[in-house]
Amino acid sequence: MPVLEVNHLHKTFGAVTAVEDISFSVEAGEIFTIIGPNGAGKTTTLEMIEGLQMPDRGSVAFGSLDWKRNADQIKMTIGVQPQSGALFDLLTVEENLDLFASFYPKATPTATVLEMINMTDQRNKHVKKLSGGQRQRLAIGLAMINDPTVIFLDEPTTGLDPQARRNIWDIILKLKGLGKTTILTTHYMEEAEKLSDRVCIVDQGKIVSLDTPAALIDRLTKEREVRLSLMDGEKAAEVTEQMALLHPAVVRANREGPTLKIWTTQPEETLYDLFGFTKDRGFRVEQISIREMSLEDVFIAFTGKEWRD
Amino acid sequence: MNGAKQFNKMFVAQLKMMFREKQVWFWNIFFPIILMVLFMIIFAGGGDDDFKATIAVSEPVQTAASEQLLGQLRQVPVLELKNEEPISKEQGLEWVKNEDVDALIILPESENASSLQLIVNMKNERSATTQVVSGVLDKFIQQANLAAAGAQPVFGMTVSSVTSGEDDLKYEDFLLTGMIGLSIAQGGLFGMVDLVDMRRRGLLKRLRMTPARMGLYGLSSMLVRLMLGIVQIVVLSLIGVYGFGASLHINIFSLAIAFFGGALVFNAMGYLFSSFSKTIEAYMGMANIASMLMMFLSGVFFPLESLPVWLQPVTQALPLTYFVDGMRDGLIYAESVTNGAFWLGMGIMALWGVASFLVGAQVYKTKSISEEAR
């Protein structure tokens, strides 16, 4: 049974439709990532799920609980790390955790949370003096103080350096190890690809695609880009290009100096045949590469928009 | 149950936050102290007893009358003669020019002349010292005239003031209580900036995502502010009483009512400002305008009667007027709570509080929540 079910959410602000018919469900233990360009409706969708905004139409259900009848119960089963961090700067790390713990009838011991977010050594530090990565870790710590079943992480790694980002990934994977369900938004494709069980791409208030990262990439056209650099100058490259275009799997090709770019539906076979040709002619190949398709390509393919980190 | 634990933690957390915020200490404790001390020194400090003017006396012609006048001038306690023996007019003028003395008195220039001259530096022509010296000299001459005519004065005058309190009211008492009222009012007007800051940083929204009871949070916050108000009363009173000789006659009931009432009203006004303010700067602007206007129009530093008549209706409308009055009733007049004027004042003040709160709450309600974190 899904832990979260979102059905046909609609939300308009004046003349602007922010969310138009968004539906999905999240299974227990999943890391479910929502990505989309700015203004796609991610935040509005999340806020409706978190009970901060009322949808115009549609429903949100956590198992058998809904916001109208079970608001307090839902608040006890979810944990939220908002984008802004939202910490008490003049309190220490531990005092923040303590204060939030007092809001719930049952809370995880602060020592456990501190260990989980790797901040035991900083527990007496004032939040004001924490680094960006430490602040985010504390915000995640606050989100798990009530031992929730569903955790919402809204861009937890935005603006962090690669090391700090990796530390957050570790925490997210630890949460998954504990069987928690995580709903994540991010600006980093690499992150979505690495962490997510499923990715939901949202654009202009609608879901444009929802699947596992691998399936999404797979769904893109089978055309792959193969690059080949020859050591014997432009002439050799030109002859090879003409040869390649005769290959049945090659869709198109272009050339920049001694470097060839070939788009093919069967990269392995094409390369095999091309190597046969270059060997016969005695051309020496300097570099070859097959470009991996990433979630970024998926994003561009589905939304028609460039991805901006 | 859970509510008590929550309230406890919230209260302690807010107490710590207040304690750790240097701005709170500066604006709520040190700033009022500095302001009060300055006003005390400028307008009250020193007191009349300590007034002294240094003068020089020139005696162009030595006569019996001039000797007598000189002898009597030496007796005037507030005048200090720079020279034991009279000096020449030129020497005296030099001293006045260099401001070595506050004034030069030239005794009658001939046996038959009866006019005394008072010469002061033009820079100080209108100074308080000049006024006092000329006043003293004037009085002195009157006395001398009467003595010369062998007459006894028919009318005399003594100055005194009456209050409803047990003792006479000094400016020190007036200023001290005004400053206490102003500090508490400013604590409320400026204090609600926390709310703007919490909204701006998404903390209000964050708390609403938890089962935390916002009512308890507000209550604990109010309690912390009241504690700060009590600290203000105690610290300012100690400095006023022991540093400047102010005297207090406290009626604890009227003091408590004025204090709690006033703290609530000015916090409600701060709450109203916060409902309109997207940024801290906007809030501080509004709080500053309100505070500045009321500071000078509510009888904090000087009695309202010293303001022009056409301004009186304005002062009669301001809540700080009634708050400061109420605090004075409780702190120096020992006015009991049975006094009708006290309740009328509290009532007008409360109207401001209720209206501010209702409008503020309405603005908060109609504002979209999604705006909050932005």
Side-chain angles (χ1 to χ4, degrees), chain A residues 80-89 96 100 127 132 134-143 154-156, chain B residues 198 200-207 209 373:
Chain A
V80 182
Q81 171 258 311
Q83 221 178 87
S84 58
L87 308 165
F88 288 99
D89 279 358
N96 264 282
F100 275 75
V127 169
Q134 290 170 332
R135 289 180 70 95
Q136 285 300 43
R137 263 147 57 203
L138 175 57
I140 296 174
L142 292 179
D154 196 358
E155 299 190 8
Chain B
M198 279 181 74
R200 201 179 51 88
R201 296 193 295 142
L203 263 169
L204 282 188
K205 213 180 198 179
R206 179 69 185 91
L207 291 182
M209 292 173 190

Side-chain angles (χ1 to χ4, degrees), chain A residues 47 50 52-53 75-76 80 82 84 86-91 95 98-100 102-104 126 142, chain B residues 2 5-6 9-10 13 16-17 20-21 201-203 205-212 217 369-370:
Chain A
E47 290 194 343
E50 293 159 358
L52 286 172
Q53 294 197 38
K75 283 177 181 175
M76 285 172 201
V80 182
S84 58
L87 308 165
F88 288 99
D89 279 358
L90 288 168
L91 296 180
E95 285 165 350
D98 254 355
L99 177 63
F100 275 75
S102 77
F103 301 157
Y104 300 93
H126 284 194
L142 292 179
Chain B
N2 192 33
K5 184 183 84 178
Q6 239 182 72
K9 288 273 181 191
M10 286 169 171
K16 282 179 181 164
M17 285 192 268
R20 288 170 189 170
E21 179 61 82
R201 296 193 295 142
L203 263 169
K205 213 180 198 179
R206 179 69 185 91
L207 291 182
R208 291 207 354 242
M209 292 173 190
T210 71
Y217 192 85
I369 302 152
S370 60

